[in-house]
Amino acid sequence: MLQAKSFLSRLGEAIEQGQKREMVIARNGCFAAKLVPIDTALSGKRIGVAKGLFVMPDSIDAHNNAVARLFMVGVQP
């Protein structure tokens, strides 16, 4: 673990450049962590993915105050 901490930037660089596929880090002879690359295919746009799949009722906000009060039980203003 100490050695990995000392060389973390080098280890990360080796993973980024594809020199290593994964690295296992151990502490006192026991596996503690695995360093692997993040999948480069990041997901696309997430906001609005359900747009058009359902209709939101006009009354969606009708009970907001009542729900907020339920969360505030025992809280002094």
Side-chain angles (χ1 to χ4, degrees):
M1 186 71 76
L2 180 62
Q3 189 177 20
K5 187 167 75 168
S6 300
F7 295 102
L8 187 58
S9 62
R10 285 191 215 164
L11 297 176
E13 194 173 303
I15 291 287
E16 288 174 334
Q17 293 177 357
Q19 297 169 356
K20 298 281 185 179
R21 206 175 109 229
E22 66 180 34
M23 294 181 193
V24 176
I25 299 170
R27 180 190 316 228
N28 298 324
C30 297
F31 297 138
K34 186 189 311 188
L35 185 62
V36 295
I38 293 177
D39 187 12
T40 56
L42 298 175
S43 61
K45 182 179 172 185
R46 300 254 328 136
I47 295 176
V49 295
K51 186 175 183 178
L53 297 180
F54 58 93
V55 177
M56 190 69 59
D58 292 335
S59 63
I60 189 72
D61 293 320
H63 302 289
N64 283 356
N65 289 334
V67 172
R69 279 193 302 275
L70 291 173
F71 280 100
M72 301 303 281
V73 172
V75 176
Q76 298 296 321

